[in-house]
Amino acid sequence: MCLALGLAGPRAHTDDITRSSFNHYLSEVPVETGEENEEIVFTADAVLFEYLDGGWKERGKGEVKVNVSSPGREKARLVMRARGNYRLILNASLYSDMKLTNMDKRGVTFACMNSATDEKKGLSTFALKFKDGSFVESFTAAVAAHKGKAASVLKTPENSPKASDD
């Protein structure tokens, strides 16, 4: 018995429900992501990790993008959505003192303030692991080209792992 639709049995009123009326209730709705007025200057599939309590914790797999605001091109940010459900897992503005450090051959680490989570405010250390090392070079170049020109007071978190220059 389907009480939500007020039907008396499992096959009641099936003749009245047509495909067109059913599709009317499931029509596509435009989705606004906040990225409509931004230009994507880099995109690649990656795995996002966050350094917490002395170790790396996976935050999700999906598409990472470097977006630049179109009108004045003065702002740029990192945006990453989880594959499948498109949940926002990274939303961080680029800043002038942002340092990227190569990690292994297919990864890069950086510190930023991630506004996609409500867990904590302040800088955290993140790592992106790409399928191929060539994406690391492209990502680093895109971030370097679009990070802000203004001076910043952000510093690397104290619990961040020590970087090794490769």
Side-chain angles (χ1 to χ4, degrees), residues 2 8-9 26 41-42 44 64 81-82 87 91 93 108 122 136 149 152 160:
C2 185
L26 298 178
V41 295
F42 173 85
V64 63
R81 295 184 182 278
R87 177 179 52 91
N91 183 18
S93 295
V108 63
V136 173
K149 310 275 189 283
S152 175
S160 179

Side-chain angles (χ1 to χ4, degrees), residues 99-118:
K99 292 180 179 38
L100 302 175
T101 305
N102 287 346
M103 182 178 187
D104 297 327
K105 293 181 172 134
R106 300 181 301 152
V108 63
T109 64
F110 54 92
C112 66
M113 291 192 307
N114 185 8
S115 61
T117 62
D118 296 329

Side-chain angles (χ1 to χ4, degrees), residues 42-104:
F42 173 85
T43 182
D45 285 335
V47 182
L48 179 68
F49 297 91
E50 184 175 8
Y51 191 79
L52 290 172
D53 302 323
W56 292 103
K57 181 175 181 184
E58 184 176 321
R59 289 294 176 199
K61 298 176 184 177
E63 183 180 38
V64 63
K65 301 179 204 174
V66 177
N67 287 356
V68 179
S69 58
S70 294
R73 295 182 180 250
E74 66 277 352
K75 292 183 180 180
R77 65 183 180 139
L78 298 175
V79 177
M80 186 170 182
R81 295 184 182 278
R83 191 176 301 130
N85 64 4
Y86 300 106
R87 177 179 52 91
L88 188 65
I89 56 177
L90 179 65
N91 183 18
S93 295
L94 301 184
Y95 57 95
S96 61
D97 294 336
M98 189 173 206
K99 292 180 179 38
L100 302 175
T101 305
N102 287 346
M103 182 178 187
D104 297 327

Side-chain angles (χ1 to χ4, degrees), residues 118-143:
D118 296 329
E119 291 179 14
K120 66 177 185 174
K121 305 294 182 201
L123 283 177
S124 291
T125 302
F126 291 92
L128 286 169
K129 185 175 180 182
F130 298 98
K131 291 181 180 180
D132 187 329
S134 65
F135 290 118
V136 173
E137 296 169 16
S138 301
F139 176 77
T140 303
V143 170

